[in-house]
Amino acid sequence: MRRNHLIAAAGICFALIVYATLARLAGRPVLVGHHEAYWVVVIERFSAYGLLGLLVSFLLPGRFGLTCALVVAVAVGLEVLQGLTPDRDPSSIDVLQKVAGGTVGVLLAQTILAFLPRPPS
């Protein structure tokens, strides 16, 4: 995948996460309906941040610490900003779910990158 495509995909993923996190509760996108089971919401959070971690890790190959720090900063920062939205409530368990998903995405990307052939220098 070309670098420009990765940048666009990571930007779109980040924008959708920001919208889903900071939108009013009535305007928040849902997967199966407004009365979702809690496990569906956990899977949504985990997979969204997993995809973000995967894409950012492909953008920054070999920089495991920086990539994990970026994903953690996004998760914590957006959860803090969520406290400013009147009908949303930030939660530390949400942050843990998001950080876990992002870290799994980073680890998956680093594993994939370890098996890809290196470009000639």
Side-chain angles (χ1 to χ4, degrees):
M1 189 181 263
R2 297 175 62 187
R3 186 161 178 83
N4 291 340
H5 294 138
L6 281 172
I7 292 171
I12 290 169
C13 183
F14 177 70
L16 290 172
I17 288 173
V18 169
Y19 175 73
T21 304
L22 300 180
R24 298 185 63 88
L25 200 54
R28 182 185 178 280
V30 293
L31 200 58
V32 284
H34 287 287
H35 300 290
E36 294 176 321
Y38 182 70
W39 63 270
V40 173
V41 176
V42 171
I43 291 172
E44 286 175 356
R45 290 180 189 134
F46 189 89
S47 59
Y49 277 86
L51 180 61
L52 181 67
L54 184 93
L55 292 171
V56 172
S57 192
F58 280 136
L59 281 172
L60 303 170
R63 294 189 173 97
F64 177 76
L66 176 63
T67 308
C68 281
L70 284 172
V71 172
V72 169
V74 167
V76 172
L78 287 177
E79 201 68 24
V80 168
L81 287 174
Q82 192 179 48
L84 302 175
T85 307
D87 61 346
R88 303 293 297 270
D89 55 332
S91 170
S92 58
I93 192 74
D94 294 351
V95 173
L96 292 176
Q97 294 164 358
K98 294 171 181 180
V99 168
T103 305
V104 167
V106 171
L107 289 171
L108 179 63
Q110 293 298 324
T111 303
I112 291 169
L113 287 169
F115 288 104
L116 290 179
R118 304 260 182 214
S121 47

